[in-house]
Amino acid sequence: KTKPRFIHVDLGTATAAGIAMGHVLDFVSVQRRNENGEEFEMRAPIIGIDLMLQIVAPEDDEIEIAGVRQLIYELRSYGYRIAKVTFDQYQSKDSEQQLRRSGIDAGYLSVDTNPEVYNSLKDAILEDRLVAYYYDVCYNEIIRLEKNERTGKVDHPPQGSKDVSDALAGVCYHCVTQE
């Protein structure tokens, strides 16, 4: 529990929200190719996922954002060292401010406008560096994701969701970009 944990929350109030928490287990050397096709070796993290959760809004009601924050506080009370919490843009400014007031580094991260977020998840999967338990909701979201080649945005099909996969991608991004 002493390793820094990263949390990303895809906050939706009307339908569903996704939250994930993870950390760097270790580092390995991976082979990559640059834009010229030349191979090079680099160090990349093995990412351990502690938590993936879809929070579904009650019928004819909304998800209580305070409850999402309470879950984060609860994880910290269990001894997890929360290094950073990020939210997508939707209604997150208040949560960011409250978490910062309680001593947790919190901010904004868009998985939709930064292609590196989903690339970090994709690379971790393809390079066998993602250690996670099976979670049906996340698995079904990931296998149905679609990439718009024109915009570069990763999205879900009609009637689909990507709340938990967005949260997972955010955690992977933090594990890759934070030391």
PDB file of all heavy atoms in Angstrom, residues 22-51:
ATOM      1  N   GLY A  22      -4.734   2.577  -9.694  1.00  0.00           N
ATOM      2  CA  GLY A  22      -3.632   1.671  -9.974  1.00  0.00           C
ATOM      3  C   GLY A  22      -2.303   2.276  -9.579  1.00  0.00           C
ATOM      4  O   GLY A  22      -2.234   3.414  -9.108  1.00  0.00           O
ATOM      5  N   HIS A  23      -1.257   1.489  -9.806  1.00  0.00           N
ATOM      6  CA  HIS A  23       0.086   1.914  -9.421  1.00  0.00           C
ATOM      7  C   HIS A  23       1.122   1.200 -10.277  1.00  0.00           C
ATOM      8  O   HIS A  23       0.811   0.253 -10.999  1.00  0.00           O
ATOM      9  CB  HIS A  23       0.335   1.623  -7.943  1.00  0.00           C
ATOM     10  CG  HIS A  23       0.294   0.159  -7.614  1.00  0.00           C
ATOM     11  ND1 HIS A  23      -0.874  -0.569  -7.561  1.00  0.00           N
ATOM     12  CD2 HIS A  23       1.285  -0.716  -7.330  1.00  0.00           C
ATOM     13  CE1 HIS A  23      -0.594  -1.824  -7.252  1.00  0.00           C
ATOM     14  NE2 HIS A  23       0.700  -1.937  -7.107  1.00  0.00           N
ATOM     15  N   VAL A  24       2.348   1.668 -10.194  1.00  0.00           N
ATOM     16  CA  VAL A  24       3.463   1.046 -10.911  1.00  0.00           C
ATOM     17  C   VAL A  24       4.001  -0.090 -10.056  1.00  0.00           C
ATOM     18  O   VAL A  24       4.410   0.124  -8.913  1.00  0.00           O
ATOM     19  CB  VAL A  24       4.572   2.077 -11.219  1.00  0.00           C
ATOM     20  CG1 VAL A  24       5.781   1.398 -11.841  1.00  0.00           C
ATOM     21  CG2 VAL A  24       4.040   3.182 -12.125  1.00  0.00           C
ATOM     22  N   LEU A  25       3.965  -1.296 -10.614  1.00  0.00           N
ATOM     23  CA  LEU A  25       4.499  -2.466  -9.910  1.00  0.00           C
ATOM     24  C   LEU A  25       6.003  -2.562 -10.061  1.00  0.00           C
ATOM     25  O   LEU A  25       6.721  -2.897  -9.126  1.00  0.00           O
ATOM     26  CB  LEU A  25       3.862  -3.751 -10.468  1.00  0.00           C
ATOM     27  CG  LEU A  25       2.396  -3.974 -10.161  1.00  0.00           C
ATOM     28  CD1 LEU A  25       1.840  -5.093 -11.017  1.00  0.00           C
ATOM     29  CD2 LEU A  25       2.229  -4.305  -8.687  1.00  0.00           C
ATOM     30  N   ASP A  26       6.485  -2.295 -11.269  1.00  0.00           N
ATOM     31  CA  ASP A  26       7.901  -2.434 -11.600  1.00  0.00           C
ATOM     32  C   ASP A  26       8.114  -1.816 -12.971  1.00  0.00           C
ATOM     33  O   ASP A  26       7.177  -1.301 -13.571  1.00  0.00           O
ATOM     34  CB  ASP A  26       8.291  -3.922 -11.606  1.00  0.00           C
ATOM     35  CG  ASP A  26       9.781  -4.150 -11.391  1.00  0.00           C
ATOM     36  OD1 ASP A  26      10.556  -3.161 -11.358  1.00  0.00           O
ATOM     37  OD2 ASP A  26      10.185  -5.313 -11.251  1.00  0.00           O
ATOM     38  N   PHE A  27       9.336  -1.906 -13.465  1.00  0.00           N
ATOM     39  CA  PHE A  27       9.642  -1.440 -14.810  1.00  0.00           C
ATOM     40  C   PHE A  27      10.290  -2.562 -15.598  1.00  0.00           C
ATOM     41  O   PHE A  27      10.979  -3.414 -15.031  1.00  0.00           O
ATOM     42  CB  PHE A  27      10.598  -0.229 -14.766  1.00  0.00           C
ATOM     43  CG  PHE A  27       9.927   1.034 -14.303  1.00  0.00           C
ATOM     44  CD1 PHE A  27       9.869   1.344 -12.955  1.00  0.00           C
ATOM     45  CD2 PHE A  27       9.354   1.895 -15.211  1.00  0.00           C
ATOM     46  CE1 PHE A  27       9.244   2.500 -12.514  1.00  0.00           C
ATOM     47  CE2 PHE A  27       8.723   3.058 -14.784  1.00  0.00           C
ATOM     48  CZ  PHE A  27       8.682   3.358 -13.444  1.00  0.00           C
ATOM     49  N   VAL A  28      10.041  -2.556 -16.906  1.00  0.00           N
ATOM     50  CA  VAL A  28      10.651  -3.529 -17.815  1.00  0.00           C
ATOM     51  C   VAL A  28      11.161  -2.790 -19.044  1.00  0.00           C
ATOM     52  O   VAL A  28      10.719  -1.675 -19.334  1.00  0.00           O
ATOM     53  CB  VAL A  28       9.662  -4.640 -18.242  1.00  0.00           C
ATOM     54  CG1 VAL A  28       9.271  -5.520 -17.079  1.00  0.00           C
ATOM     55  CG2 VAL A  28       8.444  -4.062 -18.916  1.00  0.00           C
ATOM     56  N   SER A  29      12.051  -3.441 -19.762  1.00  0.00           N
ATOM     57  CA  SER A  29      12.509  -2.904 -21.042  1.00  0.00           C
ATOM     58  C   SER A  29      11.586  -3.411 -22.141  1.00  0.00           C
ATOM     59  O   SER A  29      11.251  -4.597 -22.180  1.00  0.00           O
ATOM     60  CB  SER A  29      13.935  -3.351 -21.339  1.00  0.00           C
ATOM     61  OG  SER A  29      14.826  -2.738 -20.443  1.00  0.00           O
ATOM     62  N   VAL A  30      11.176  -2.506 -23.009  1.00  0.00           N
ATOM     63  CA  VAL A  30      10.313  -2.872 -24.130  1.00  0.00           C
ATOM     64  C   VAL A  30      10.953  -2.389 -25.427  1.00  0.00           C
ATOM     65  O   VAL A  30      11.701  -1.406 -25.435  1.00  0.00           O
ATOM     66  CB  VAL A  30       8.889  -2.290 -23.987  1.00  0.00           C
ATOM     67  CG1 VAL A  30       8.185  -2.888 -22.785  1.00  0.00           C
ATOM     68  CG2 VAL A  30       8.909  -0.784 -23.908  1.00  0.00           C
ATOM     69  N   GLN A  31      10.657  -3.102 -26.486  1.00  0.00           N
ATOM     70  CA  GLN A  31      11.135  -2.719 -27.813  1.00  0.00           C
ATOM     71  C   GLN A  31      10.060  -1.891 -28.497  1.00  0.00           C
ATOM     72  O   GLN A  31       8.900  -2.276 -28.534  1.00  0.00           O
ATOM     73  CB  GLN A  31      11.430  -3.962 -28.665  1.00  0.00           C
ATOM     74  CG  GLN A  31      12.554  -4.830 -28.139  1.00  0.00           C
ATOM     75  CD  GLN A  31      13.893  -4.124 -28.227  1.00  0.00           C
ATOM     76  OE1 GLN A  31      14.173  -3.396 -29.180  1.00  0.00           O
ATOM     77  NE2 GLN A  31      14.738  -4.341 -27.238  1.00  0.00           N
ATOM     78  N   ARG A  32      10.470  -0.764 -29.041  1.00  0.00           N
ATOM     79  CA  ARG A  32       9.557   0.109 -29.782  1.00  0.00           C
ATOM     80  C   ARG A  32      10.199   0.473 -31.112  1.00  0.00           C
ATOM     81  O   ARG A  32      11.391   0.256 -31.317  1.00  0.00           O
ATOM     82  CB  ARG A  32       9.274   1.396 -28.998  1.00  0.00           C
ATOM     83  CG  ARG A  32       8.635   1.185 -27.633  1.00  0.00           C
ATOM     84  CD  ARG A  32       7.143   1.411 -27.694  1.00  0.00           C
ATOM     85  NE  ARG A  32       6.480   1.114 -26.441  1.00  0.00           N
ATOM     86  CZ  ARG A  32       6.126   1.999 -25.535  1.00  0.00           C
ATOM     87  NH1 ARG A  32       6.410   3.267 -25.715  1.00  0.00           N
ATOM     88  NH2 ARG A  32       5.499   1.616 -24.440  1.00  0.00           N
ATOM     89  N   ARG A  33       9.403   1.050 -31.982  1.00  0.00           N
ATOM     90  CA  ARG A  33       9.908   1.557 -33.256  1.00  0.00           C
ATOM     91  C   ARG A  33       9.614   3.053 -33.335  1.00  0.00           C
ATOM     92  O   ARG A  33       8.533   3.491 -32.955  1.00  0.00           O
ATOM     93  CB  ARG A  33       9.240   0.853 -34.436  1.00  0.00           C
ATOM     94  CG  ARG A  33       9.644  -0.592 -34.577  1.00  0.00           C
ATOM     95  CD  ARG A  33       9.117  -1.166 -35.888  1.00  0.00           C
ATOM     96  NE  ARG A  33       9.424  -2.565 -35.961  1.00  0.00           N
ATOM     97  CZ  ARG A  33      10.546  -3.060 -36.452  1.00  0.00           C
ATOM     98  NH1 ARG A  33      11.471  -2.249 -36.921  1.00  0.00           N
ATOM     99  NH2 ARG A  33      10.749  -4.362 -36.497  1.00  0.00           N
ATOM    100  N   ASN A  34      10.581   3.804 -33.842  1.00  0.00           N
ATOM    101  CA  ASN A  34      10.358   5.238 -34.019  1.00  0.00           C
ATOM    102  C   ASN A  34       9.639   5.479 -35.344  1.00  0.00           C
ATOM    103  O   ASN A  34       9.308   4.531 -36.069  1.00  0.00           O
ATOM    104  CB  ASN A  34      11.667   6.031 -33.902  1.00  0.00           C
ATOM    105  CG  ASN A  34      12.663   5.685 -34.999  1.00  0.00           C
ATOM    106  OD1 ASN A  34      12.312   5.131 -36.038  1.00  0.00           O
ATOM    107  ND2 ASN A  34      13.919   6.035 -34.768  1.00  0.00           N
ATOM    108  N   GLU A  35       9.395   6.741 -35.676  1.00  0.00           N
ATOM    109  CA  GLU A  35       8.659   7.072 -36.902  1.00  0.00           C
ATOM    110  C   GLU A  35       9.375   6.636 -38.172  1.00  0.00           C
ATOM    111  O   GLU A  35       8.764   6.509 -39.226  1.00  0.00           O
ATOM    112  CB  GLU A  35       8.312   8.571 -36.944  1.00  0.00           C
ATOM    113  CG  GLU A  35       9.469   9.517 -36.751  1.00  0.00           C
ATOM    114  CD  GLU A  35       9.829   9.751 -35.286  1.00  0.00           C
ATOM    115  OE1 GLU A  35       9.058   9.410 -34.386  1.00  0.00           O
ATOM    116  OE2 GLU A  35      10.930  10.253 -35.055  1.00  0.00           O
ATOM    117  N   ASN A  36      10.681   6.374 -38.098  1.00  0.00           N
ATOM    118  CA  ASN A  36      11.449   5.881 -39.247  1.00  0.00           C
ATOM    119  C   ASN A  36      11.482   4.358 -39.313  1.00  0.00           C
ATOM    120  O   ASN A  36      12.158   3.782 -40.165  1.00  0.00           O
ATOM    121  CB  ASN A  36      12.890   6.414 -39.203  1.00  0.00           C
ATOM    122  CG  ASN A  36      12.933   7.925 -39.276  1.00  0.00           C
ATOM    123  OD1 ASN A  36      12.106   8.542 -39.952  1.00  0.00           O
ATOM    124  ND2 ASN A  36      13.873   8.527 -38.573  1.00  0.00           N
ATOM    125  N   GLY A  37      10.836   3.700 -38.359  1.00  0.00           N
ATOM    126  CA  GLY A  37      10.812   2.242 -38.349  1.00  0.00           C
ATOM    127  C   GLY A  37      12.010   1.608 -37.662  1.00  0.00           C
ATOM    128  O   GLY A  37      12.148   0.381 -37.669  1.00  0.00           O
ATOM    129  N   GLU A  38      12.863   2.425 -37.050  1.00  0.00           N
ATOM    130  CA  GLU A  38      14.047   1.897 -36.371  1.00  0.00           C
ATOM    131  C   GLU A  38      13.685   1.454 -34.961  1.00  0.00           C
ATOM    132  O   GLU A  38      12.990   2.165 -34.241  1.00  0.00           O
ATOM    133  CB  GLU A  38      15.139   2.967 -36.311  1.00  0.00           C
ATOM    134  CG  GLU A  38      15.552   3.465 -37.678  1.00  0.00           C
ATOM    135  CD  GLU A  38      16.291   4.792 -37.613  1.00  0.00           C
ATOM    136  OE1 GLU A  38      16.050   5.584 -36.662  1.00  0.00           O
ATOM    137  OE2 GLU A  38      17.085   5.045 -38.521  1.00  0.00           O
ATOM    138  N   GLU A  39      14.176   0.273 -34.580  1.00  0.00           N
ATOM    139  CA  GLU A  39      13.894  -0.237 -33.245  1.00  0.00           C
ATOM    140  C   GLU A  39      14.743   0.466 -32.192  1.00  0.00           C
ATOM    141  O   GLU A  39      15.887   0.828 -32.445  1.00  0.00           O
ATOM    142  CB  GLU A  39      14.174  -1.741 -33.173  1.00  0.00           C
ATOM    143  CG  GLU A  39      13.038  -2.580 -33.670  1.00  0.00           C
ATOM    144  CD  GLU A  39      13.171  -4.041 -33.281  1.00  0.00           C
ATOM    145  OE1 GLU A  39      13.940  -4.366 -32.353  1.00  0.00           O
ATOM    146  OE2 GLU A  39      12.489  -4.851 -33.917  1.00  0.00           O
ATOM    147  N   PHE A  40      14.147   0.645 -31.044  1.00  0.00           N
ATOM    148  CA  PHE A  40      14.875   1.155 -29.896  1.00  0.00           C
ATOM    149  C   PHE A  40      14.294   0.520 -28.650  1.00  0.00           C
ATOM    150  O   PHE A  40      13.186  -0.006 -28.653  1.00  0.00           O
ATOM    151  CB  PHE A  40      14.843   2.692 -29.829  1.00  0.00           C
ATOM    152  CG  PHE A  40      13.481   3.268 -29.552  1.00  0.00           C
ATOM    153  CD1 PHE A  40      13.094   3.621 -28.266  1.00  0.00           C
ATOM    154  CD2 PHE A  40      12.579   3.478 -30.595  1.00  0.00           C
ATOM    155  CE1 PHE A  40      11.846   4.165 -28.007  1.00  0.00           C
ATOM    156  CE2 PHE A  40      11.319   4.020 -30.345  1.00  0.00           C
ATOM    157  CZ  PHE A  40      10.950   4.361 -29.053  1.00  0.00           C
ATOM    158  N   GLU A  41      15.047   0.563 -27.584  1.00  0.00           N
ATOM    159  CA  GLU A  41      14.610  -0.019 -26.322  1.00  0.00           C
ATOM    160  C   GLU A  41      14.332   1.098 -25.335  1.00  0.00           C
ATOM    161  O   GLU A  41      15.035   2.103 -25.307  1.00  0.00           O
ATOM    162  CB  GLU A  41      15.711  -0.939 -25.787  1.00  0.00           C
ATOM    163  CG  GLU A  41      15.298  -1.782 -24.613  1.00  0.00           C
ATOM    164  CD  GLU A  41      16.378  -2.780 -24.230  1.00  0.00           C
ATOM    165  OE1 GLU A  41      16.711  -3.638 -25.053  1.00  0.00           O
ATOM    166  OE2 GLU A  41      16.881  -2.661 -23.096  1.00  0.00           O
ATOM    167  N   MET A  42      13.280   0.912 -24.557  1.00  0.00           N
ATOM    168  CA  MET A  42      12.973   1.911 -23.534  1.00  0.00           C
ATOM    169  C   MET A  42      12.406   1.221 -22.299  1.00  0.00           C
ATOM    170  O   MET A  42      11.982   0.079 -22.348  1.00  0.00           O
ATOM    171  CB  MET A  42      11.994   2.962 -24.054  1.00  0.00           C
ATOM    172  CG  MET A  42      10.603   2.456 -24.329  1.00  0.00           C
ATOM    173  SD  MET A  42       9.468   3.787 -24.754  1.00  0.00           S
ATOM    174  CE  MET A  42       9.215   4.564 -23.181  1.00  0.00           C
ATOM    175  N   ARG A  43      12.417   1.940 -21.212  1.00  0.00           N
ATOM    176  CA  ARG A  43      11.889   1.456 -19.936  1.00  0.00           C
ATOM    177  C   ARG A  43      10.425   1.849 -19.827  1.00  0.00           C
ATOM    178  O   ARG A  43      10.067   3.005 -20.085  1.00  0.00           O
ATOM    179  CB  ARG A  43      12.709   2.100 -18.825  1.00  0.00           C
ATOM    180  CG  ARG A  43      12.564   1.489 -17.488  1.00  0.00           C
ATOM    181  CD  ARG A  43      13.529   2.181 -16.567  1.00  0.00           C
ATOM    182  NE  ARG A  43      12.781   3.147 -15.769  1.00  0.00           N
ATOM    183  CZ  ARG A  43      12.878   3.269 -14.470  1.00  0.00           C
ATOM    184  NH1 ARG A  43      13.746   2.550 -13.806  1.00  0.00           N
ATOM    185  NH2 ARG A  43      12.153   4.123 -13.807  1.00  0.00           N
ATOM    186  N   ALA A  44       9.576   0.879 -19.460  1.00  0.00           N
ATOM    187  CA  ALA A  44       8.142   1.153 -19.342  1.00  0.00           C
ATOM    188  C   ALA A  44       7.611   0.485 -18.072  1.00  0.00           C
ATOM    189  O   ALA A  44       8.109  -0.564 -17.651  1.00  0.00           O
ATOM    190  CB  ALA A  44       7.403   0.635 -20.568  1.00  0.00           C
ATOM    191  N   PRO A  45       6.583   1.067 -17.467  1.00  0.00           N
ATOM    192  CA  PRO A  45       6.068   0.511 -16.213  1.00  0.00           C
ATOM    193  C   PRO A  45       5.159  -0.705 -16.423  1.00  0.00           C
ATOM    194  O   PRO A  45       4.414  -0.771 -17.398  1.00  0.00           O
ATOM    195  CB  PRO A  45       5.266   1.670 -15.625  1.00  0.00           C
ATOM    196  CG  PRO A  45       4.796   2.436 -16.817  1.00  0.00           C
ATOM    197  CD  PRO A  45       5.911   2.317 -17.827  1.00  0.00           C
ATOM    198  N   ILE A  46       5.235  -1.617 -15.481  1.00  0.00           N
ATOM    199  CA  ILE A  46       4.217  -2.645 -15.350  1.00  0.00           C
ATOM    200  C   ILE A  46       3.162  -2.025 -14.443  1.00  0.00           C
ATOM    201  O   ILE A  46       3.474  -1.567 -13.340  1.00  0.00           O
ATOM    202  CB  ILE A  46       4.777  -3.937 -14.727  1.00  0.00           C
ATOM    203  CG1 ILE A  46       5.883  -4.513 -15.607  1.00  0.00           C
ATOM    204  CG2 ILE A  46       3.671  -4.960 -14.495  1.00  0.00           C
ATOM    205  CD1 ILE A  46       6.651  -5.660 -14.958  1.00  0.00           C
ATOM    206  N   ILE A  47       1.920  -1.989 -14.914  1.00  0.00           N
ATOM    207  CA  ILE A  47       0.864  -1.265 -14.220  1.00  0.00           C
ATOM    208  C   ILE A  47      -0.065  -2.247 -13.511  1.00  0.00           C
ATOM    209  O   ILE A  47      -0.624  -3.145 -14.144  1.00  0.00           O
ATOM    210  CB  ILE A  47       0.070  -0.396 -15.217  1.00  0.00           C
ATOM    211  CG1 ILE A  47       1.018   0.591 -15.899  1.00  0.00           C
ATOM    212  CG2 ILE A  47      -1.084   0.316 -14.519  1.00  0.00           C
ATOM    213  CD1 ILE A  47       0.455   1.241 -17.145  1.00  0.00           C
ATOM    214  N   GLY A  48      -0.189  -2.075 -12.205  1.00  0.00           N
ATOM    215  CA  GLY A  48      -1.100  -2.905 -11.410  1.00  0.00           C
ATOM    216  C   GLY A  48      -2.380  -2.139 -11.135  1.00  0.00           C
ATOM    217  O   GLY A  48      -2.345  -1.000 -10.672  1.00  0.00           O
ATOM    218  N   ILE A  49      -3.498  -2.766 -11.417  1.00  0.00           N
ATOM    219  CA  ILE A  49      -4.794  -2.122 -11.195  1.00  0.00           C
ATOM    220  C   ILE A  49      -5.403  -2.657  -9.911  1.00  0.00           C
ATOM    221  O   ILE A  49      -5.603  -3.856  -9.752  1.00  0.00           O
ATOM    222  CB  ILE A  49      -5.745  -2.354 -12.393  1.00  0.00           C
ATOM    223  CG1 ILE A  49      -5.121  -1.790 -13.677  1.00  0.00           C
ATOM    224  CG2 ILE A  49      -7.113  -1.753 -12.133  1.00  0.00           C
ATOM    225  CD1 ILE A  49      -4.786  -0.305 -13.629  1.00  0.00           C
ATOM    226  N   ASP A  50      -5.676  -1.749  -8.986  1.00  0.00           N
ATOM    227  CA  ASP A  50      -6.258  -2.096  -7.695  1.00  0.00           C
ATOM    228  C   ASP A  50      -7.778  -2.077  -7.721  1.00  0.00           C
ATOM    229  O   ASP A  50      -8.429  -2.821  -6.982  1.00  0.00           O
ATOM    230  CB  ASP A  50      -5.810  -1.082  -6.623  1.00  0.00           C
ATOM    231  CG  ASP A  50      -4.311  -0.997  -6.503  1.00  0.00           C
ATOM    232  OD1 ASP A  50      -3.704  -2.008  -6.142  1.00  0.00           O
ATOM    233  OD2 ASP A  50      -3.757   0.082  -6.784  1.00  0.00           O
ATOM    234  N   LEU A  51      -8.345  -1.197  -8.541  1.00  0.00           N
ATOM    235  CA  LEU A  51      -9.778  -0.981  -8.506  1.00  0.00           C
ATOM    236  C   LEU A  51     -10.286  -0.524  -9.858  1.00  0.00           C
ATOM    237  O   LEU A  51      -9.680   0.348 -10.487  1.00  0.00           O
ATOM    238  CB  LEU A  51     -10.112   0.105  -7.461  1.00  0.00           C
ATOM    239  CG  LEU A  51     -11.538   0.632  -7.428  1.00  0.00           C
ATOM    240  CD1 LEU A  51     -12.488  -0.427  -6.884  1.00  0.00           C
ATOM    241  CD2 LEU A  51     -11.620   1.900  -6.592  1.00  0.00           C
TER     242      LEU A  51
END
